[in-house]
Coordinates of all heavy atoms in Angstrom, one line a residue:
M103 N 71.5 227.3 -22.5 CA 71.3 226.2 -23.4 C 71.0 225.0 -22.6 O 71.8 224.6 -21.7 CB 72.4 226.0 -24.4 CG 72.2 224.8 -25.2 SD 73.6 224.1 -26.1 CE 74.3 225.5 -27.0
S104 N 69.9 224.3 -22.8 CA 69.7 223.0 -22.2 C 70.2 221.8 -23.1 O 70.1 222.0 -24.3 CB 68.2 222.8 -21.8 OG 67.5 222.7 -23.0
A105 N 70.7 220.8 -22.5 CA 71.2 219.7 -23.3 C 70.9 218.4 -22.6 O 71.0 218.3 -21.4 CB 72.7 219.8 -23.4
K106 N 70.5 217.4 -23.4 CA 70.1 216.1 -22.9 C 70.8 215.0 -23.8 O 70.8 215.1 -25.0 CB 68.6 215.8 -23.1 CG 68.1 214.5 -22.6 CD 66.6 214.3 -22.9 CE 66.2 212.9 -22.6 NZ 64.8 212.7 -23.1
L107 N 71.5 214.1 -23.1 CA 72.3 213.1 -23.9 C 71.3 212.3 -24.7 O 70.4 211.7 -24.1 CB 73.1 212.3 -22.9 CG 74.0 211.2 -23.5 CD1 75.1 211.9 -24.4 CD2 74.6 210.4 -22.4
Y108 N 71.6 212.2 -26.0 CA 70.8 211.4 -26.9 C 71.4 210.0 -27.1 O 70.7 209.0 -27.1 CB 70.6 212.2 -28.2 CG 69.8 211.5 -29.2 CD1 68.4 211.5 -29.2 CD2 70.4 210.9 -30.3 CE1 67.6 210.9 -30.2 CE2 69.7 210.2 -31.3 CZ 68.3 210.3 -31.2 OH 67.6 209.6 -32.2
K109 N 72.7 210.0 -27.4 CA 73.4 208.7 -27.7 C 74.8 208.9 -27.4 O 75.5 209.9 -27.8 CB 73.2 208.4 -29.2 CG 73.7 207.0 -29.6 CD 73.4 206.7 -31.0 CE 71.8 206.5 -31.1 NZ 71.4 205.8 -32.3
K110 N 75.5 207.9 -26.8 CA 76.9 207.9 -26.6 C 77.4 206.5 -26.5 O 76.9 205.7 -25.7 CB 77.2 208.7 -25.2 CG 78.7 208.6 -24.9 CD 78.9 209.3 -23.5 CE 80.4 209.3 -23.2 NZ 80.7 209.9 -21.9
F111 N 78.4 206.2 -27.4 CA 79.0 204.9 -27.3 C 80.3 204.8 -28.1 O 80.5 205.7 -28.9 CB 78.0 203.8 -27.9 CG 77.7 203.9 -29.3 CD1 78.5 203.3 -30.2 CD2 76.6 204.6 -29.7 CE1 78.2 203.3 -31.6 CE2 76.3 204.7 -31.1 CZ 77.1 204.1 -32.0
T112 N 81.1 203.8 -27.8 CA 82.3 203.5 -28.6 C 82.1 202.0 -29.0 O 81.7 201.2 -28.2 CB 83.5 203.6 -27.7 OG1 83.6 205.0 -27.3 CG2 84.8 203.2 -28.5
R113 N 82.3 201.8 -30.3 CA 82.2 200.4 -30.8 C 83.5 200.1 -31.5 O 84.0 200.8 -32.5 CB 81.0 200.3 -31.8 CG 80.9 198.9 -32.4 CD 79.7 198.8 -33.3 NE 78.5 199.0 -32.5 CZ 77.5 199.7 -32.9 NH1 77.4 200.2 -34.1 NH2 76.4 199.8 -32.1
Y114 N 84.2 199.0 -31.1 CA 85.4 198.6 -31.7 C 85.1 197.8 -33.0 O 84.2 196.9 -32.9 CB 86.3 197.8 -30.7 CG 86.9 198.7 -29.7 CD1 86.2 199.1 -28.6 CD2 88.2 199.3 -30.0 CE1 86.8 200.0 -27.7 CE2 88.8 200.1 -29.1 CZ 88.1 200.5 -28.0 OH 88.6 201.4 -27.0
L115 N 85.8 198.1 -34.1 CA 85.5 197.4 -35.4 C 86.5 196.3 -35.5 O 86.2 195.3 -36.2 CB 85.6 198.4 -36.5 CG 84.6 199.6 -36.4 CD1 84.9 200.7 -37.5 CD2 83.2 199.2 -36.4
D116 N 87.7 196.5 -35.0 CA 88.7 195.4 -34.9 C 89.7 195.9 -33.9 O 89.5 196.8 -33.2 CB 89.4 195.2 -36.3 CG 89.9 196.5 -36.9 OD1 90.6 197.2 -36.2 OD2 89.8 196.6 -38.2
E117 N 90.9 195.2 -33.9 CA 91.9 195.5 -32.8 C 92.5 196.9 -33.0 O 93.1 197.4 -32.0 CB 93.0 194.4 -32.7 CG 93.8 194.3 -34.0 CD 93.2 193.4 -35.1 OE1 92.2 192.8 -34.9 OE2 93.8 193.4 -36.2
N118 N 92.4 197.5 -34.1 CA 93.0 198.8 -34.4 C 92.1 200.0 -34.7 O 92.5 201.1 -34.8 CB 94.1 198.7 -35.5 CG 95.2 197.8 -35.2 OD1 95.7 197.8 -34.1 ND2 95.5 196.9 -36.2
S119 N 90.8 199.7 -34.7 CA 89.9 200.8 -35.1 C 88.6 200.7 -34.4 O 88.1 199.7 -33.9 CB 89.6 200.7 -36.6 OG 88.9 199.5 -37.0
Y120 N 88.0 201.9 -34.2 CA 86.7 202.0 -33.6 C 86.0 203.3 -34.0 O 86.6 204.1 -34.6 CB 86.9 202.0 -32.0 CG 87.7 203.2 -31.5 CD1 87.0 204.4 -31.2 CD2 89.1 203.1 -31.3 CE1 87.8 205.5 -30.6 CE2 89.8 204.2 -30.8 CZ 89.2 205.4 -30.5 OH 89.9 206.4 -30.0
I121 N 84.7 203.3 -33.7 CA 83.9 204.5 -33.9 C 83.5 205.0 -32.5 O 83.2 204.2 -31.6 CB 82.7 204.3 -34.8 CG1 81.7 203.3 -34.3 CG2 83.1 204.0 -36.3 CD1 80.4 203.2 -35.0
Q122 N 83.4 206.3 -32.4 CA 82.9 206.9 -31.1 C 81.9 207.9 -31.5 O 82.1 208.8 -32.4 CB 84.1 207.6 -30.5 CG 83.8 208.0 -29.1 CD 85.1 208.4 -28.3 OE1 85.9 209.2 -28.8 NE2 85.3 207.8 -27.1
V123 N 80.7 207.8 -30.9 CA 79.6 208.7 -31.1 C 79.1 209.4 -29.9 O 78.9 208.7 -28.8 CB 78.4 207.8 -31.7 CG1 77.1 208.6 -32.0 CG2 78.9 207.1 -33.0
L124 N 78.9 210.7 -30.0 CA 78.4 211.4 -28.9 C 77.4 212.4 -29.5 O 77.7 213.3 -30.4 CB 79.5 212.2 -28.2 CG 79.1 213.1 -27.1 CD1 78.4 212.4 -26.0 CD2 80.3 213.8 -26.5
I125 N 76.1 212.3 -29.1 CA 75.1 213.2 -29.7 C 74.2 213.7 -28.5 O 73.8 212.9 -27.6 CB 74.1 212.4 -30.6 CG1 74.9 211.8 -31.8 CG2 73.0 213.3 -31.2 CD1 74.1 210.8 -32.6
W126 N 74.0 215.0 -28.5 CA 73.2 215.7 -27.5 C 72.0 216.3 -28.2 O 72.1 216.8 -29.2 CB 74.0 216.8 -26.8 CG 75.1 216.3 -26.0 CD1 76.4 216.1 -26.4 CD2 75.1 216.0 -24.6 NE1 77.2 215.7 -25.3 CE2 76.4 215.6 -24.2 CE3 74.1 216.1 -23.6 CZ2 76.7 215.3 -22.9 CZ3 74.4 215.7 -22.3 CH2 75.7 215.3 -22.0
E127 N 70.9 216.3 -27.5 CA 69.7 217.1 -27.9 C 69.9 218.5 -27.2 O 70.1 218.5 -26.0 CB 68.4 216.5 -27.5 CG 68.0 215.2 -28.3 CD 66.7 214.6 -27.8 OE1 66.7 213.9 -26.8 OE2 65.7 214.9 -28.5
V128 N 69.8 219.6 -28.0 CA 70.0 220.9 -27.4 C 68.9 221.8 -27.8 O 68.2 221.7 -28.8 CB 71.4 221.5 -27.9 CG1 72.5 220.6 -27.4 CG2 71.4 221.6 -29.5
D129 N 68.7 222.8 -26.9 CA 67.7 223.8 -27.1 C 68.2 225.1 -26.5 O 68.4 225.1 -25.3 CB 66.3 223.4 -26.6 CG 65.3 224.4 -26.9 OD1 65.3 225.0 -28.0 OD2 64.3 224.5 -26.1
P130 N 68.4 226.1 -27.3 CA 68.2 226.2 -28.7 C 69.3 225.5 -29.5 O 70.3 225.1 -29.0 CB 68.2 227.7 -28.9 CG 69.2 228.3 -27.9 CD 69.0 227.4 -26.7
A131 N 69.1 225.5 -30.8 CA 70.1 225.0 -31.8 C 71.4 225.7 -31.6 O 71.4 227.0 -31.3 CB 69.6 225.0 -33.2
I132 N 72.5 225.1 -31.8 CA 73.8 225.8 -31.7 C 74.0 226.7 -32.9 O 73.4 226.5 -34.0 CB 75.0 224.8 -31.5 CG1 75.2 223.9 -32.8 CG2 74.8 224.0 -30.3 CD1 76.5 223.3 -32.9
L133 N 74.8 227.7 -32.7 CA 75.1 228.7 -33.8 C 75.6 228.0 -35.0 O 76.6 227.2 -34.9 CB 76.1 229.7 -33.3 CG 76.4 230.8 -34.2 CD1 75.3 231.7 -34.6 CD2 77.6 231.6 -33.7
G134 N 75.0 228.2 -36.2 CA 75.4 227.5 -37.4 C 74.6 226.3 -37.8 O 74.7 225.8 -38.9
S135 N 73.8 225.8 -36.9 CA 72.9 224.7 -37.2 C 71.4 225.1 -37.0 O 71.1 226.0 -36.2 CB 73.2 223.5 -36.2 OG 74.5 223.0 -36.5
K136 N 70.5 224.4 -37.7 CA 69.1 224.7 -37.7 C 68.3 223.6 -37.1 O 67.1 223.5 -37.2 CB 68.6 225.0 -39.1 CG 69.2 226.3 -39.7 CD 68.8 226.6 -41.1 CE 69.4 227.8 -41.6 NZ 69.1 228.2 -42.9
H137 N 68.9 222.7 -36.3 CA 68.3 221.6 -35.7 C 68.7 221.5 -34.3 O 69.6 222.2 -33.8 CB 68.7 220.3 -36.5 CG 70.2 220.1 -36.6 ND1 70.9 219.6 -35.6 CD2 71.0 220.4 -37.7 CE1 72.2 219.6 -36.0 NE2 72.3 220.0 -37.2
G138 N 68.1 220.6 -33.5 CA 68.3 220.5 -32.1 C 69.3 219.5 -31.7 O 69.1 218.8 -30.6
F139 N 70.4 219.3 -32.4 CA 71.4 218.3 -32.0 C 72.8 218.9 -32.1 O 73.1 219.7 -33.0 CB 71.4 217.0 -32.9 CG 70.1 216.3 -32.8 CD1 69.1 216.5 -33.7 CD2 70.0 215.3 -31.8 CE1 67.9 215.7 -33.6 CE2 68.9 214.5 -31.7 CZ 67.8 214.7 -32.6
K140 N 73.6 218.6 -31.2 CA 75.0 218.8 -31.1 C 75.7 217.4 -31.2 O 75.4 216.6 -30.3 CB 75.4 219.6 -29.8 CG 76.9 219.7 -29.6 CD 77.5 220.7 -30.6 CE 79.0 220.9 -30.2 NZ 79.8 220.8 -31.4
Y141 N 76.6 217.3 -32.1 CA 77.1 215.9 -32.3 C 78.6 215.9 -32.7 O 79.2 216.8 -33.3 CB 76.3 215.1 -33.3 CG 76.3 215.8 -34.7 CD1 77.4 215.5 -35.6 CD2 75.4 216.7 -35.1 CE1 77.4 216.1 -36.8 CE2 75.4 217.3 -36.3 CZ 76.4 217.0 -37.2 OH 76.4 217.6 -38.4
S142 N 79.3 214.7 -32.4 CA 80.6 214.4 -32.8 C 80.6 212.9 -33.1 O 80.3 212.1 -32.1 CB 81.7 214.8 -31.8 OG 82.9 214.4 -32.2
M143 N 80.9 212.5 -34.3 CA 81.0 211.0 -34.6 C 82.4 210.8 -35.3 O 82.7 211.5 -36.3 CB 79.9 210.7 -35.5 CG 78.5 210.8 -34.9 SD 77.2 210.3 -36.0 CE 76.7 211.9 -36.7
A144 N 83.2 210.0 -34.7 CA 84.6 209.8 -35.2 C 84.9 208.4 -35.5 O 84.5 207.5 -34.9 CB 85.6 210.3 -34.1
Y145 N 85.7 208.2 -36.6 CA 86.3 206.9 -36.9 C 87.7 207.1 -36.7 O 88.4 207.9 -37.3 CB 85.9 206.6 -38.4 CG 86.6 205.4 -39.0 CD1 86.6 204.2 -38.3 CD2 87.2 205.5 -40.2 CE1 87.3 203.1 -38.8 CE2 87.8 204.4 -40.7 CZ 87.9 203.2 -40.1 OH 88.4 202.1 -40.6
V146 N 88.3 206.2 -35.8 CA 89.7 206.2 -35.4 C 90.4 205.0 -35.8 O 89.9 203.8 -35.5 CB 89.7 206.5 -33.9 CG1 91.2 206.5 -33.4 CG2 89.0 207.8 -33.5
V147 N 91.6 205.1 -36.4 CA 92.3 203.9 -36.7 C 93.8 204.1 -36.2 O 94.4 205.1 -36.4 CB 92.4 203.7 -38.3 CG1 93.3 202.5 -38.7 CG2 91.0 203.6 -38.9
S148 N 94.2 203.1 -35.4 CA 95.6 203.2 -34.8 C 95.8 204.5 -34.1 O 96.9 205.1 -34.3 CB 96.6 202.9 -35.9 OG 96.5 201.6 -36.4
G149 N 94.8 205.0 -33.4 CA 95.0 206.2 -32.6 C 94.8 207.5 -33.4 O 94.9 208.6 -32.8
T150 N 94.6 207.4 -34.7 CA 94.4 208.6 -35.5 C 93.0 208.8 -36.0 O 92.4 207.8 -36.5 CB 95.4 208.6 -36.8 OG1 96.7 208.4 -36.3 CG2 95.2 209.8 -37.7
C151 N 92.4 209.9 -35.8 CA 91.0 210.2 -36.3 C 91.1 210.3 -37.8 O 91.7 211.3 -38.4 CB 90.5 211.5 -35.7 SG 88.8 211.8 -36.2
V152 N 90.5 209.3 -38.5 CA 90.5 209.3 -39.9 C 89.4 210.1 -40.5 O 89.5 210.7 -41.6 CB 90.4 207.8 -40.4 CG1 90.3 207.7 -41.9 CG2 91.7 207.0 -39.9
M153 N 88.3 210.1 -39.8 CA 87.1 210.8 -40.3 C 86.3 211.2 -39.1 O 86.1 210.5 -38.1 CB 86.2 210.0 -41.2 CG 85.0 210.7 -41.7 SD 83.8 209.7 -42.6 CE 83.3 208.5 -41.3
R154 N 85.7 212.4 -39.2 CA 84.8 212.9 -38.1 C 83.7 213.8 -38.6 O 83.9 214.5 -39.6 CB 85.6 213.8 -37.1 CG 84.8 214.2 -35.9 CD 85.7 215.0 -34.9 NE 86.0 216.3 -35.4 CZ 87.1 216.8 -35.8 NH1 88.2 216.0 -35.8 NH2 87.3 218.0 -36.2
Y155 N 82.5 213.5 -38.2 CA 81.3 214.3 -38.4 C 81.1 215.2 -37.2 O 81.1 214.6 -36.1 CB 80.0 213.5 -38.6 CG 79.8 212.9 -40.0 CD1 80.8 212.3 -40.7 CD2 78.6 213.0 -40.5 CE1 80.6 211.7 -42.0 CE2 78.3 212.4 -41.8 CZ 79.3 211.8 -42.5 OH 79.1 211.2 -43.7
D156 N 80.9 216.5 -37.3 CA 80.5 217.3 -36.2 C 79.8 218.6 -36.7 O 79.7 218.9 -37.8 CB 81.7 217.6 -35.3 CG 82.8 218.4 -36.0 OD1 82.5 219.5 -36.6 OD2 84.0 218.1 -35.9
N157 N 79.3 219.3 -35.7 CA 78.7 220.6 -36.0 C 79.2 221.6 -35.0 O 78.5 222.1 -34.1 CB 77.1 220.6 -36.1 CG 76.5 220.1 -34.8 OD1 77.1 219.4 -33.9 ND2 75.2 220.5 -34.6
E158 N 80.5 221.9 -35.1 CA 81.2 222.8 -34.2 C 80.5 224.2 -34.3 O 80.0 224.6 -35.3 CB 82.6 222.9 -34.8 CG 83.5 223.8 -34.0 CD 84.9 223.8 -34.7 OE1 85.3 222.9 -35.3 OE2 85.6 224.8 -34.4
R159 N 80.4 224.8 -33.1 CA 79.7 226.1 -33.0 C 80.2 227.0 -34.0 O 81.4 227.3 -34.1 CB 79.9 226.6 -31.6 CG 79.3 227.9 -31.3 CD 79.5 228.3 -29.8 NE 79.0 229.7 -29.6 CZ 77.7 230.0 -29.3 NH1 76.8 229.0 -29.3 NH2 77.3 231.2 -29.2
G160 N 79.2 227.6 -34.8 CA 79.6 228.6 -35.8 C 79.9 228.1 -37.1 O 79.8 228.8 -38.1
K161 N 80.3 226.8 -37.2 CA 80.7 226.1 -38.5 C 79.5 225.4 -39.1 O 79.5 225.1 -40.3 CB 81.8 225.2 -38.3 CG 83.2 225.9 -38.1 CD 84.3 224.9 -37.9 CE 85.2 225.1 -39.1 NZ 86.3 224.1 -39.0
G162 N 78.6 225.0 -38.4 CA 77.5 224.2 -38.9 C 77.9 222.8 -39.1 O 78.9 222.3 -38.7
D163 N 77.0 222.1 -39.9 CA 77.2 220.6 -40.1 C 78.3 220.4 -41.2 O 78.3 220.9 -42.3 CB 75.9 220.0 -40.7 CG 74.7 220.2 -39.6 OD1 74.9 219.7 -38.5 OD2 73.8 220.9 -40.0
H164 N 79.3 219.6 -40.8 CA 80.4 219.3 -41.7 C 81.1 218.0 -41.3 O 80.8 217.4 -40.2 CB 81.4 220.4 -41.8 CG 82.0 220.7 -40.5 ND1 81.5 221.4 -39.4 CD2 83.3 220.4 -40.0 CE1 82.3 221.5 -38.4 NE2 83.4 220.9 -38.7
K165 N 81.9 217.5 -42.2 CA 82.7 216.3 -41.9 C 84.2 216.6 -42.2 O 84.5 217.3 -43.1 CB 82.2 215.1 -42.6 CG 82.2 215.1 -44.1 CD 81.6 213.8 -44.7 CE 81.5 213.9 -46.2 NZ 80.8 212.7 -46.7
H166 N 85.0 215.9 -41.5 CA 86.5 216.0 -41.8 C 86.9 214.5 -42.3 O 86.6 213.6 -41.6 CB 87.3 216.2 -40.5 CG 86.9 217.5 -39.8 ND1 87.5 218.7 -40.0 CD2 85.8 217.7 -39.0 CE1 86.9 219.6 -39.2 NE2 85.9 219.0 -38.6
I167 N 87.6 214.5 -43.4 CA 88.1 213.3 -43.9 C 89.6 213.5 -44.2 O 89.9 214.3 -45.1 CB 87.4 212.7 -45.2 CG1 85.9 212.4 -44.9 CG2 88.1 211.4 -45.7 CD1 85.1 212.0 -46.1
G168 N 90.4 212.9 -43.4 CA 91.9 213.3 -43.4 C 92.0 214.7 -43.0 O 91.4 215.2 -42.0
V169 N 92.7 215.5 -43.9 CA 92.9 216.9 -43.6 C 91.9 217.8 -44.3 O 91.9 219.0 -44.2 CB 94.3 217.4 -44.0 CG1 95.3 216.6 -43.2 CG2 94.5 217.1 -45.5
H170 N 90.9 217.2 -45.0 CA 89.9 218.0 -45.8 C 88.6 218.1 -45.0 O 88.2 217.2 -44.2 CB 89.6 217.3 -47.1 CG 90.9 217.1 -47.9 ND1 91.5 218.2 -48.5 CD2 91.7 216.1 -48.2 CE1 92.5 217.8 -49.2 NE2 92.7 216.5 -49.0
E171 N 87.9 219.2 -45.2 CA 86.6 219.4 -44.5 C 85.6 219.7 -45.6 O 85.8 220.4 -46.6 CB 86.8 220.7 -43.6 CG 85.6 221.0 -42.8 CD 85.8 222.1 -41.8 OE1 86.8 222.1 -41.1 OE2 85.0 223.1 -41.8
F172 N 84.4 219.0 -45.4 CA 83.3 219.1 -46.4 C 82.0 219.5 -45.6 O 81.7 218.9 -44.5 CB 83.1 217.8 -47.0 CG 84.3 217.2 -47.7 CD1 85.2 216.4 -47.1 CD2 84.7 217.6 -49.0 CE1 86.3 215.9 -47.6 CE2 85.8 217.0 -49.6 CZ 86.6 216.2 -48.9
S173 N 81.2 220.3 -46.2 CA 79.9 220.6 -45.6 C 79.0 219.4 -45.8 O 79.2 218.6 -46.7 CB 79.2 221.8 -46.4 OG 79.9 222.9 -46.1
T174 N 78.1 219.2 -44.9 CA 77.1 218.1 -45.0 C 75.7 218.7 -44.8 O 75.6 219.8 -44.3 CB 77.3 217.0 -43.9 OG1 77.2 217.6 -42.6 CG2 78.6 216.3 -44.0
T175 N 74.7 218.0 -45.3 CA 73.3 218.5 -45.2 C 72.6 217.6 -44.1 O 72.6 216.4 -44.2 CB 72.6 218.3 -46.6 OG1 73.3 219.0 -47.6 CG2 71.2 218.8 -46.5
F176 N 72.0 218.3 -43.2 CA 71.3 217.6 -42.1 C 69.9 217.4 -42.5 O 69.2 218.4 -42.7 CB 71.4 218.4 -40.8 CG 70.8 217.7 -39.7 CD1 71.6 216.9 -38.8 CD2 69.5 217.8 -39.4 CE1 71.0 216.3 -37.7 CE2 68.9 217.1 -38.3 CZ 69.7 216.4 -37.5
V177 N 69.5 216.2 -42.6 CA 68.1 215.8 -42.9 C 67.4 215.4 -41.6 O 66.3 215.8 -41.3 CB 68.0 214.7 -44.0 CG1 66.6 214.2 -44.2 CG2 68.6 215.2 -45.3
S178 N 68.1 214.4 -40.9 CA 67.7 213.9 -39.6 C 68.9 213.3 -38.9 O 69.9 213.0 -39.6 CB 66.5 212.8 -39.7 OG 67.1 211.7 -40.3
I179 N 68.8 213.2 -37.7 CA 69.9 212.5 -36.9 C 70.1 211.1 -37.3 O 71.2 210.6 -37.4 CB 69.8 212.7 -35.4 CG1 71.1 212.5 -34.7 CG2 68.7 211.9 -34.8 CD1 72.2 213.5 -35.0
D180 N 69.0 210.4 -37.6 CA 69.2 209.0 -38.1 C 69.8 208.9 -39.5 O 70.7 208.1 -39.7 CB 67.8 208.3 -38.1 CG 67.2 208.1 -36.7 OD1 68.0 208.0 -35.8 OD2 66.0 208.0 -36.7
R181 N 69.5 209.9 -40.3 CA 70.1 209.9 -41.7 C 71.6 210.3 -41.6 O 72.5 209.7 -42.2 CB 69.4 210.9 -42.6 CG 70.0 211.0 -43.9 CD 70.0 209.7 -44.7 NE 70.7 209.8 -45.9 CZ 70.2 209.9 -47.1 NH1 68.9 209.9 -47.2 NH2 71.0 210.0 -48.2
L182 N 71.9 211.2 -40.7 CA 73.3 211.6 -40.5 C 74.1 210.5 -40.0 O 75.2 210.2 -40.5 CB 73.3 212.8 -39.5 CG 74.7 213.4 -39.4 CD1 75.0 214.4 -40.6 CD2 74.8 214.3 -38.1
F183 N 73.6 209.7 -39.0 CA 74.3 208.6 -38.5 C 74.5 207.5 -39.5 O 75.6 206.9 -39.7 CB 73.5 208.0 -37.2 CG 74.2 206.9 -36.6 CD1 75.5 207.0 -36.0 CD2 73.6 205.6 -36.5 CE1 76.1 206.0 -35.4 CE2 74.2 204.6 -35.9 CZ 75.5 204.7 -35.3
A184 N 73.5 207.3 -40.4 CA 73.6 206.3 -41.5 C 74.7 206.7 -42.4 O 75.4 205.9 -43.0 CB 72.2 206.1 -42.1
D185 N 74.7 208.0 -42.8 CA 75.7 208.5 -43.7 C 77.1 208.3 -43.1 O 78.1 208.0 -43.8 CB 75.5 210.0 -44.0 CG 74.2 210.2 -44.9 OD1 73.7 209.3 -45.4 OD2 73.8 211.4 -44.9
F186 N 77.3 208.6 -41.8 CA 78.5 208.4 -41.1 C 79.0 207.0 -41.2 O 80.1 206.7 -41.6 CB 78.4 208.9 -39.7 CG 79.6 208.4 -38.8 CD1 80.8 209.1 -38.9 CD2 79.5 207.4 -37.9 CE1 81.8 208.7 -38.1 CE2 80.5 207.1 -37.1 CZ 81.7 207.7 -37.2
L187 N 78.1 206.0 -40.9 CA 78.4 204.6 -41.0 C 78.8 204.2 -42.5 O 79.7 203.4 -42.7 CB 77.3 203.8 -40.4 CG 77.0 203.8 -38.9 CD1 75.8 203.0 -38.6 CD2 78.3 203.5 -38.1
S188 N 78.1 204.7 -43.4 CA 78.3 204.4 -44.8 C 79.7 204.9 -45.2 O 80.5 204.2 -45.9 CB 77.3 205.1 -45.7 OG 77.6 204.9 -47.1
D189 N 80.1 206.1 -44.7 CA 81.5 206.6 -45.0 C 82.5 205.8 -44.3 O 83.6 205.5 -44.9 CB 81.5 208.1 -44.6 CG 81.0 209.1 -45.6 OD1 80.6 208.7 -46.7 OD2 80.9 210.3 -45.2
V190 N 82.3 205.3 -43.1 CA 83.2 204.5 -42.4 C 83.4 203.2 -43.2 O 84.6 202.8 -43.5 CB 82.7 204.1 -41.0 CG1 83.6 202.9 -40.4 CG2 82.7 205.3 -40.1
E191 N 82.4 202.6 -43.7 CA 82.5 201.4 -44.5 C 83.3 201.6 -45.8 O 84.1 200.8 -46.2 CB 81.2 200.7 -44.8 CG 80.6 200.0 -43.6 CD 81.5 199.1 -42.9 OE1 82.1 198.2 -43.6 OE2 81.8 199.2 -41.7
T192 N 83.0 202.7 -46.5 CA 83.7 203.1 -47.7 C 85.2 203.2 -47.4 O 86.0 202.7 -48.2 CB 83.2 204.4 -48.3 OG1 81.7 204.2 -48.6 CG2 83.9 204.8 -49.5
I193 N 85.5 203.9 -46.4 CA 87.0 204.1 -46.0 C 87.7 202.8 -45.7 O 88.7 202.5 -46.2 CB 87.1 205.2 -44.9 CG1 86.7 206.5 -45.4 CG2 88.6 205.2 -44.4 CD1 86.6 207.6 -44.3
R194 N 86.9 202.0 -45.0 CA 87.5 200.7 -44.6 C 87.8 199.8 -45.8 O 88.8 199.1 -45.9 CB 86.6 199.9 -43.6 CG 86.5 200.6 -42.3 CD 85.7 199.8 -41.3 NE 86.5 198.8 -40.7 CZ 86.1 197.7 -40.2 NH1 84.8 197.4 -40.1 NH2 87.0 196.8 -39.7
K195 N 86.8 199.8 -46.8 CA 87.0 199.0 -48.0 C 88.2 199.6 -48.9 O 88.9 198.8 -49.5 CB 85.7 199.0 -48.9 CG 84.6 198.2 -48.2 CD 83.4 198.3 -49.0 CE 82.3 197.5 -48.3 NZ 80.9 197.7 -48.9
E196 N 88.3 200.9 -48.9 CA 89.5 201.5 -49.6 C 90.8 201.1 -49.0 O 91.8 201.0 -49.8 CB 89.3 203.0 -49.6 CG 88.2 203.5 -50.5 CD 87.9 205.0 -50.4 OE1 88.6 205.7 -49.6 OE2 87.1 205.5 -51.1
K197 N 90.9 201.0 -47.7 CA 92.1 200.6 -47.0 C 92.4 199.1 -47.1 O 93.5 198.7 -46.8 CB 92.1 201.0 -45.6 CG 91.8 202.5 -45.3 CD 93.0 203.4 -45.6 CE 92.6 204.8 -45.3 NZ 93.7 205.7 -45.8
A198 N 91.4 198.3 -47.4 CA 91.6 196.9 -47.4 C 92.5 196.4 -48.6 O 92.7 197.0 -49.6 CB 90.3 196.2 -47.5

């Protein structure tokens, strides 16, 4: 499998929370996914991962919110990232 780093960064949202994004372009697609990306996008508050989007080998595209896991639909990597940011904002507003 070949992999090329597509995007990697950590962005602090305040003194207690941040998002961390790691996206690779891969060929071939990983088992369980039909697209050429391997990704992990996490929202962390006070050292605890509150939400994570990933496509773990064999599980396909999904997200974890707290202890729950939900399937997601991959349209494009830009749409997935936008959905992740939208979920982060929703969770932040609920906690406020």
Side-chain angles (χ1 to χ4, degrees):
M103 175 193 309
S104 66
K106 177 183 172 190
L107 185 61
Y108 179 79
K109 187 178 290 200
K110 179 182 179 181
F111 67 89
T112 300
R113 179 174 300 139
Y114 286 85
L115 305 174
D116 58 40
E117 62 277 352
N118 295 317
S119 65
Y120 63 90
I121 60 171
Q122 190 167 52
V123 174
L124 179 60
I125 304 170
W126 293 89
E127 289 182 280
V128 296
D129 186 28
I132 65 163
L133 183 64
S135 294
K136 297 179 180 177
H137 53 79
F139 293 96
K140 171 72 177 133
Y141 59 88
S142 176
M143 296 180 265
Y145 172 46
V146 179
V147 179
S148 299
T150 300
C151 182
V152 174
M153 182 189 63
R154 183 178 75 251
Y155 277 44
D156 63 51
N157 61 337
E158 182 179 336
R159 182 179 171 83
K161 288 181 111 180
D163 303 298
H164 63 281
K165 63 183 173 181
H166 305 260
I167 300 176
V169 297
H170 302 287
E171 186 174 309
F172 306 92
S173 291
T174 58
T175 301
F176 184 93
V177 175
S178 71
I179 197 64
D180 291 334
R181 175 61 187 257
L182 188 76
F183 183 61
D185 290 346
F186 169 75
L187 292 177
S188 178
D189 280 350
V190 168
E191 286 308 308
T192 298
I193 292 168
R194 292 185 83 201
K195 287 177 185 173
E196 290 172 356
K197 303 285 184 190

